Amino acid sequence: MTKKELARTCIDRLKAEYPLADCTLDYDHAWQLLVEVRLAAQCTDARVNVVVQDLFARYPSVEALADATPEEIEAIVKPCGLGRSKARDISACMRMLRDQYGGKVPDDFDALLALPGVGRKSANLIMGDVFGKPAIVTDTHCIRLSNRIGLVDNIKEPAKVERELWKIIPPEEGSDFCHRLVYHGRAVCTARTKPLCAQCCLADICRTGKETMDAKHN
């Protein structure tokens, strides 16, 4: 089975296993997702969803958040960790949206990358979830599962994993596929325990799953 064939089979099986492919960050507007994905670095989405309720209640628009000082933002987002650097990035990002884009989030990948605190993972998430454009979000689940399954070969750098996945994932499937990897990575192919291969819908085609099953039979 080629990597493209493996990818197609993974897409189809995960689609059956997880019909909904939603982002687990709660947001109503593109700028809110931009804030949340910065807060989610080294923090759970569940905690971010709680913390931003206070943040967005106090600062309900790009303009309001742009007018807040980094210290005011930090006081609210501190529970997400790395409060000072995250608050500084959020403040600078909102000011840039206000001053250069009329308070709107740009739908251009390079323009997103130019925003403070926005990397490739964040830019891809915005492109896929907000604008419905082709995107591959190489978060920790995507990187871990892609290596375990055999979609990539011992590659840990996010940009390199993204580049390899672009070669084998149909563009229109990338965003949803990455969301499903998150669901699967949390429920079955976990990071902190051994993967639950016996419960996995990919076990017979997954490199790690086949190795695990072979070891049990020997």
Side-chain angles (χ1 to χ4, degrees):
M1 186 183 294
T2 67
K3 279 187 166 56
K4 273 192 175 181
E5 292 168 339
L6 176 61
R8 184 70 256 180
T9 304
C10 289
I11 289 168
D12 292 341
R13 291 191 186 182
L14 289 176
K15 195 176 290 188
E17 193 79 6
Y18 310 98
L20 296 178
D22 296 330
C23 178
T24 51
L25 292 167
D26 299 333
Y27 67 97
D28 295 318
H29 307 285
W31 68 269
Q32 292 176 335
L33 182 57
L34 204 54
V35 170
E36 290 170 1
V37 73
R38 180 65 186 95
L39 292 177
Q42 299 182 41
C43 181
T44 65
D45 289 358
R47 175 169 289 187
V48 171
N49 287 336
V50 171
V51 169
V52 295
Q53 291 179 28
D54 289 340
L55 184 69
F56 297 153
R58 186 171 301 184
Y59 307 108
S61 66
V62 168
E63 291 75 16
L65 196 49
D67 287 340
T69 67
E71 291 74 21
E72 289 170 331
I73 297 171
E74 181 185 356
I76 299 175
V77 305
K78 188 177 293 186
C80 293
L82 304 173
R84 183 171 298 176
S85 62
K86 290 180 179 180
R88 185 175 60 241
D89 285 342
I90 290 168
S91 175
C93 182
M94 293 301 108
R95 291 197 305 271
M96 195 166 174
L97 288 183
R98 178 194 64 193
D99 298 342
Q100 296 188 25
Y101 296 101
K104 305 293 185 183
V105 175
D107 63 354
D108 177 79
F109 190 80
D110 290 331
L112 287 169
L113 282 181
L115 294 172
V118 177
R120 295 190 66 85
K121 182 181 77 172
S122 303
N124 270 298
L125 183 66
I126 296 292
M127 293 296 283
D129 277 50
V130 174
F131 299 114
K133 296 188 176 183
I136 289 179
V137 182
T138 49
D139 64 1
T140 56
H141 294 290
C142 176
I143 294 169
R144 182 176 74 257
L145 270 65
S146 294
N147 277 280
R148 284 180 175 177
I149 293 167
L151 295 173
V152 301
D153 300 314
N154 197 31
I155 303 173
K156 300 299 171 64
E157 298 89 340
K160 291 182 179 179
V161 172
E162 179 190 336
R163 187 162 59 243
E164 292 303 306
L165 290 180
W166 276 120
K167 297 176 183 177
I168 59 174
I169 304 291
E172 69 277 7
E173 297 284 0
S175 181
D176 286 351
F177 178 62
C178 291
H179 283 318
R180 292 187 172 102
L181 289 181
V182 172
Y183 286 124
H184 197 59
R186 289 175 177 169
V188 178
C189 198
T190 58
R192 297 183 179 178
T193 64
K194 288 184 177 180
L196 307 176
C197 296
Q199 302 175 26
C200 182
C201 62
L202 306 176
D204 62 312
I205 58 172
C206 167
R207 180 164 54 200
T208 301
K210 287 190 287 188
E211 289 172 355
T212 301
M213 297 305 179
D214 289 344
K216 281 187 176 181
H217 293 142
N218 290 336

